[in-house]
Amino acid sequence: DQQVKQNSPSLSVQEGRISILNCDYTNSMFDYFLWYKKYPAEGPTFLISISSIKDKNEDGRFTVFLNKSAKHLSLHIVPSQPGDSAVYFCAAVTGSARQLTFGSGTQLTVLP
Amino acid sequence: EPEVTQTPSHQVTQMGQEVILRCVPISNHLYFYWYRQILGQKVEFLVSFYNNEISEKSEIFDDQFSVERPDGSNFTLKIRSTKLEDSAMYFCASSDEGGRFAGNTIYFGEGSWLTVV
């Protein structure tokens, strides 16, 4: 039951360029979407989120876009830095249930 | 910055043995969680805990699993009789978020890697 899907297991980007990570979902009951970043041997850390009533949320170099009709969200990182190299997980919540549903993750590598 | 701490960082156990994974959530948090990630797979919700009882659990959290907050600071996950497929990274998390859940206040620990042989 893959309610949250990240179809790209990996992405390589040159330093300074834009990184775009994608996520699709199937459950229309989700009302918050989040991106987590994970380094090896560490737990996921919250990066940015968006409510389902919005279509864009920006925080510094990170912007999340939500297209509800397509059930698709994306994370843009501009400009990408080598320190951004990590696994990025898309996650979603329904609000009524206190649990995160994660995607399978995308390994981002930013090349210097 | 406050953090969630987990012990042990890595444990190897024989199939059929009991395992207890320990967590110290952030001190003023009221909601506690366990998630796990089998190698190469997604992070999966196991259980949430509030006010000294389980509030939600997933299908993974069967009778072999239990959670406890024995002393007001620790939060433990017990696997009664481990199976090979229990091998995974187990993440503890906590949050202080009340009301409708937006998920952006959860703090995760660094994980406990369990290997069942």
Side-chain angles (χ1 to χ4, degrees):
Chain A
D1 177 20
Q2 293 196 52
Q3 296 189 66
V4 178
K5 286 185 276 194
Q6 293 176 256
N7 292 318
S8 298
S10 64
L11 174 69
S12 289
V13 169
Q14 210 67 40
E15 181 179 5
R17 305 294 290 266
I18 184 171
S19 295
I20 301 176
L21 297 108
N22 294 303
C23 178
D24 297 295
Y25 64 95
T26 57
N27 187 348
S28 56
M29 300 299 291
F30 288 140
D31 50 15
Y32 290 98
F33 302 91
L34 307 96
W35 285 95
Y36 280 81
K37 180 178 178 180
K38 185 181 178 304
Y39 294 114
E42 292 186 14
T45 53
F46 170 73
L47 195 57
I48 191 169
S49 65
I50 188 166
S51 162
S52 62
I53 62 172
K54 304 204 167 182
D55 54 21
K56 178 181 173 181
N57 187 27
E58 194 171 347
D59 183 3
R61 297 185 297 115
F62 303 93
T63 304
V64 56
F65 295 92
L66 176 63
N67 181 335
K68 279 189 72 176
S69 61
K71 292 193 173 72
H72 177 84
L73 64 153
S74 60
L75 174 68
H76 292 209
I77 307 173
V78 182
S80 302
Q81 300 172 353
D84 296 330
S85 297
V87 177
Y88 288 78
F89 290 99
C90 171
V93 303
T94 61
S96 58
R98 193 166 288 275
Q99 56 183 272
L100 294 160
T101 300
F102 282 90
S104 53
T106 298
Q107 170 70 57
L108 173 65
T109 303
V110 180
L111 305 166
Chain B
E1 183 176 305
E3 59 181 16
V4 175
T5 57
Q6 291 184 240
T7 54
S9 56
H10 187 197
Q11 181 163 352
V12 180
T13 189
Q14 287 208 314
M15 193 168 56
Q17 295 295 303
E18 175 183 285
V19 158
I20 297 176
L21 304 178
R22 292 182 167 80
C23 169
V24 179
I26 294 171
S27 61
N28 62 336
H29 284 186
L30 300 176
Y31 300 89
F32 314 113
Y33 314 85
W34 284 100
Y35 285 77
R36 80 170 185 191
Q37 185 182 23
I38 294 171
L39 189 63
Q41 297 186 24
K42 59 177 65 180
V43 177
E44 300 172 291
F45 170 79
L46 293 179
V47 66
S48 61
F49 191 87
Y50 170 72
N51 201 25
N52 281 321
E53 61 183 25
I54 291 173
S55 48
E56 294 160 33
K57 60 182 181 179
S58 70
E59 293 173 354
I60 302 167
F61 195 87
D62 61 23
D63 291 344
Q64 292 299 312
F65 291 88
S66 62
V67 289
E68 197 178 33
R69 190 155 159 80
D71 56 14
S73 62
N74 289 286
F75 179 52
T76 62
L77 174 69
K78 183 193 290 186
I79 308 174
R80 210 177 326 273
S81 176
T82 50
K83 302 189 281 282
L84 295 176
E85 53 265 37
D86 293 328
S87 295
M89 179 74 88
Y90 288 82
F91 293 105
C92 176
S94 69
S95 73
D96 60 355
E97 184 179 359
R100 193 160 180 84
F101 185 62
N104 56 359
T105 60
I106 288 187
Y107 289 81
F108 285 85
E110 293 187 347
S112 292
W113 183 248
L114 176 65
T115 302
V116 182
V117 296

